[in-house]
Amino acid sequence: DVKVTQSSRYLVKRTGEKVFLECVQDMDHENMFWYRQDPGLGLRLIYFSYDVKMKEKGDIPEGYSVSREKKERFSLILESASTNQTSMYLCASSPSGKGIHTGELFFGEGSRLTVL
Amino acid sequence: AQSVTQPDIHITVSEGASLELRCNYSYGATPYLFWYVQSPGQGLQLLLKYFSGDTLVQGIKGFEAEFKRSQSSFNLRKPSVHWSDAAEYFCAVDTGGFKTIFGAGTRLFVKA
């Protein structure tokens, strides 16, 4: 079965802390994504990566960075967490080849982050 | 700008009744279209997709959706709802370039 695993389901952090959200997929997918989900806003794309060490900004990259050192792993980093980053974070991957993406996404179960 | 509108924030349907969830998109050409479902505390799961061809597409769990180009719509339907269908449903559009645009979601409640 297709599997995207997010290491932490629930996190509570303090303002100013550095936060790492880890995501691993076992499907050998080229493309990986980080979304943020907030009520009434749907999902918004933070960053994506279409190859190892490649990353591209999505629609709301401010306050976030990412790392993709290995094909199966895509990390989201909050350098200095703020209360407005309290949200559900969803990792996804897609099976298309390099430079091609047909939009079908496989999601992890999400990481709910609370910043106090 | 591309956008996806799901007009209904929430819908309540009796078990066994039919269901239609609405989705309208704004895009100059025909995009790839998707419906995803999210059960409480879970990630999103693909229900069905439309890329081209037959405008009525079948998905998992007995769902279907119809693409209507003239109305820029991609409504999701199910003839008979089960209590386990209670979840949040997201319509999504992919216009190429890795950026899938999601609607705000419609939460479905099923009453006995």
Side-chain angles (χ1 to χ4, degrees):
Chain A
D1 252 3
V2 162
K3 193 75 172 176
V4 177
T5 302
Q6 294 183 230
S7 56
S8 303
R9 293 294 306 275
Y10 300 94
L11 304 93
V12 179
K13 299 292 182 180
R14 297 210 173 270
T15 302
E17 280 192 78
K18 191 169 186 176
V19 181
F20 292 88
L21 300 180
E22 305 285 339
C23 175
V24 177
Q25 51 97 359
D26 64 0
M27 299 161 284
D28 201 36
H29 287 172
E30 299 281 355
N31 311 311
M32 296 188 74
F33 305 80
W34 276 105
Y35 285 89
R36 171 176 172 159
Q37 182 181 12
D38 299 289
L41 297 178
L43 280 71
R44 293 178 291 167
L45 182 63
I46 304 172
Y47 269 95
F48 66 94
S49 168
Y50 55 85
D51 199 357
V52 176
K53 297 192 184 293
M54 304 303 293
K55 58 186 179 183
E56 295 284 344
K57 293 179 180 179
D59 298 317
I60 53 164
E62 297 77 19
Y64 304 94
S65 62
V66 290
S67 171
R68 193 165 181 204
E69 296 296 320
K70 294 184 178 181
K71 187 176 185 179
E72 68 271 17
R73 187 180 298 271
F74 192 37
S75 302
L76 180 69
I77 303 155
L78 288 66
E79 293 288 343
S80 178
S82 63
T83 55
N84 62 13
Q85 293 178 308
T86 292
S87 187
M88 170 72 89
Y89 291 89
L90 291 168
C91 176
S93 68
S94 73
S96 305
K98 288 183 184 179
I100 302 170
H101 170 60
T102 59
E104 182 173 353
L105 296 164
F106 293 85
F107 284 88
E109 293 187 323
S111 298
R112 183 166 292 282
L113 172 66
T114 301
V115 183
L116 303 176
Chain B
Q2 298 99 358
S3 65
V4 177
T5 302
Q6 294 180 245
D8 303 304
I9 297 173
H10 54 79
I11 283 181
T12 300
V13 175
S14 297
E15 192 169 17
S18 63
L19 170 70
E20 182 169 28
L21 302 182
R22 296 181 291 164
C23 173
N24 293 94
Y25 67 90
S26 172
Y27 182 58
T30 299
Y32 299 137
L33 297 161
F34 305 83
W35 275 99
Y36 289 87
V37 60
Q38 185 181 33
S39 299
Q42 303 295 314
L44 278 69
Q45 179 185 18
L46 181 69
L47 276 178
L48 47 78
K49 60 190 177 187
Y50 173 79
F51 286 176
S52 64
D54 192 345
T55 57
L56 184 65
V57 294
Q58 302 298 319
I60 62 171
K61 304 186 181 188
F63 285 91
E64 66 178 27
E66 186 172 13
F67 168 59
K68 293 185 177 180
R69 185 190 308 275
S70 61
Q71 298 177 19
S72 296
S73 69
F74 189 56
N75 294 348
L76 182 72
R77 300 194 294 247
K78 187 171 184 178
S80 177
V81 168
H82 187 263
W83 64 266
S84 61
D85 293 324
E88 190 155 21
Y89 292 80
F90 293 91
C91 181
V93 160
D94 188 289
T95 59
F98 296 90
K99 292 187 178 182
T100 301
I101 302 168
F102 287 84
T106 298
R107 183 166 295 278
L108 173 65
F109 297 96
V110 180
K111 60 182 182 181

